[in-house]
Amino acid sequence: MKDLIILGNGMAGMTAALYAKRANLDFDIIGKDSYDFGQIGNAILVENYPCSESKSGFDLAMSLHDQLEANDVEIKEYEVRDIFKFDDYYRIYCTDGESFEAKTIIYALGATHRELSTIDQNVPVHYCALCDGALYKDKRVAVIGGGDVAFTQAEYLSKICKEVRIIMCDRNVTASPSTFERVSKIHNVYIDYDCPVVRITKDTNGILCIWCEGVRGPIFAEGVFVSIGMIPNTSILHFVSLTENGYIPADETGVTDCPGFFAAGDVRTKRVRQSVTAASDGANAVQSVIDYLKSH
């Protein structure tokens, strides 16, 4: 039985693994794919990670991945199916039938993209401009959302596409002021405010028609990218409290209301969801694990 199992290999999980290694804990880190770093892996540009030049989120995460390898930490590739809590340990079941046991868990399985429920079945939807933007070279695309992800995706697409429209349901821009200012000055990027999307259809010519509440006609596009928030990956948890939105109530220590179970990264309640706070969560959670093991 392990002292600790870390679930997830995003910034929170990998940082936790680095600190667990330095603390000489007997642990494993498990991820669905050792090179699938979660949301940070899809980030087009990270400009505010301390002591790091601007780079893609994948490159940032890859630097941490390489650091783990240099410290002889291997990410085990399994997909978690279920977790059961016993009196003083946890058992983790994976989809291929493999199982693991540990005294403690750091749960850092992140979040997935929130989907629009108003899209017709035959309409292709994308969530990663870096992954799929090349499909729309010299075409018109729409980005739905008003946060940093939406605006940085629009910025990236503006270099590939003929026209980019950012469609927002209101006027509440949640992107950082510097990002908003930079993107709003791009000549082929247009922002449509107060346009809550009610339906997206495709006509006989393959053109997408984005219908918005209060707008007489559709906004036309050839591709659509959705950036309207995240849903925490906590559906398999049945022994720890969750908020109404599915997040794990925990502060910077990662401590939850379930002894020996700690939350880190995008799955926990927090004000700022950034790579730097995810890394901080991972480090703090390991210290909480150490304190727990000492007292038990």
Side-chain angles (χ1 to χ4, degrees):
M1 181 181 296
K2 297 291 183 178
D3 291 329
L4 165 67
I5 288 181
I6 300 164
L7 299 179
N9 58 307
M11 293 298 288
M14 289 195 293
T15 302
L18 184 65
Y19 275 72
K21 179 68 175 182
R22 291 175 59 84
N24 290 323
L25 294 177
D26 182 17
F27 76 98
D28 281 329
I29 175 172
I30 297 174
K32 186 177 180 180
D33 184 324
S34 63
Y35 294 99
D36 181 1
F37 304 123
Q39 298 311 311
I40 188 63
N42 295 328
I44 293 165
L45 186 65
V46 179
E47 299 178 291
N48 55 356
Y49 196 85
C51 299
S52 174
E53 61 185 18
S54 297
K55 61 180 67 175
S56 73
F58 183 86
D59 287 341
L60 178 64
M62 195 65 204
S63 298
L64 183 49
H65 182 279
D66 291 344
Q67 191 174 4
L68 289 184
E69 285 193 338
N71 283 273
D72 298 320
V73 175
E74 177 188 359
I75 298 171
K76 296 183 179 296
E77 295 186 340
Y78 294 99
E79 184 176 1
V80 177
R81 174 174 57 86
D82 212 341
I83 306 172
F84 285 91
K85 182 186 184 309
F86 296 91
D87 287 343
D88 55 358
Y89 72 98
Y90 294 86
R91 183 176 295 150
I92 298 164
Y93 293 95
C94 302
T95 54
D96 67 348
E98 186 67 75
S99 64
F100 300 86
E101 292 183 350
K103 300 172 186 175
T104 63
I105 288 177
I106 293 178
Y107 194 88
L109 285 177
T112 53
H113 295 285
R114 185 179 300 279
E115 298 179 357
L116 270 177
S117 60
T118 54
I119 303 175
D120 280 13
Q121 198 169 17
N122 64 338
V123 174
V125 178
H126 306 279
Y127 296 91
C128 175
L130 188 64
C131 310
D132 303 325
L135 298 172
Y136 299 97
K137 181 175 173 60
D138 298 326
K139 296 183 178 180
R140 296 172 296 170
V141 299
V143 178
I144 300 173
D148 269 316
V149 174
F151 274 78
T152 54
Q153 297 223 63
E155 181 178 28
Y156 177 81
L157 291 166
S158 71
K159 301 170 186 176
I160 301 171
C161 305
K162 179 170 65 176
E163 177 183 293
V164 182
R165 302 192 77 97
I166 301 175
I167 301 175
M168 296 180 51
C169 65
D170 51 28
R171 292 183 171 271
N172 182 29
V173 177
T174 57
S176 66
S178 60
T179 299
F180 171 75
E181 182 178 2
R182 184 175 69 246
V183 175
S184 63
K185 292 178 180 178
I186 300 174
H187 75 281
N188 61 336
V189 174
Y190 305 89
I191 305 174
D192 295 294
Y193 297 102
D194 298 321
C195 292
V197 175
V198 294
R199 192 179 179 193
I200 303 178
T201 60
K202 184 164 68 172
D203 67 17
T204 54
N205 296 317
I207 301 298
L208 304 184
C209 302
I210 305 169
W211 302 88
C212 302
E213 184 180 326
V215 180
R216 178 174 298 179
I219 297 171
F220 297 106
E222 291 160 280
V224 62
F225 292 78
V226 177
S227 300
I228 56 171
M230 310 300 297
I231 298 175
N233 294 321
T234 55
S235 60
I236 64 172
L237 299 179
H238 44 80
F239 49 79
V240 63
S241 296
L242 301 175
T243 69
E244 182 180 352
N245 294 322
Y247 291 96
I248 303 171
D251 61 14
E252 287 77 7
T253 65
V255 174
T256 71
D257 63 359
C258 187
F261 186 85
F262 305 89
D266 283 348
V267 295
R268 81 167 182 87
T269 50
K270 58 196 304 184
R271 182 179 182 183
V272 179
R273 302 183 188 281
Q274 295 281 310
S275 52
V276 66
T277 62
S280 174
D281 283 357
N284 274 308
V286 170
Q287 186 57 55
S288 295
V289 166
I290 293 169
D291 293 342
Y292 175 86
L293 293 173
K294 285 180 179 178
S295 63
H296 290 73

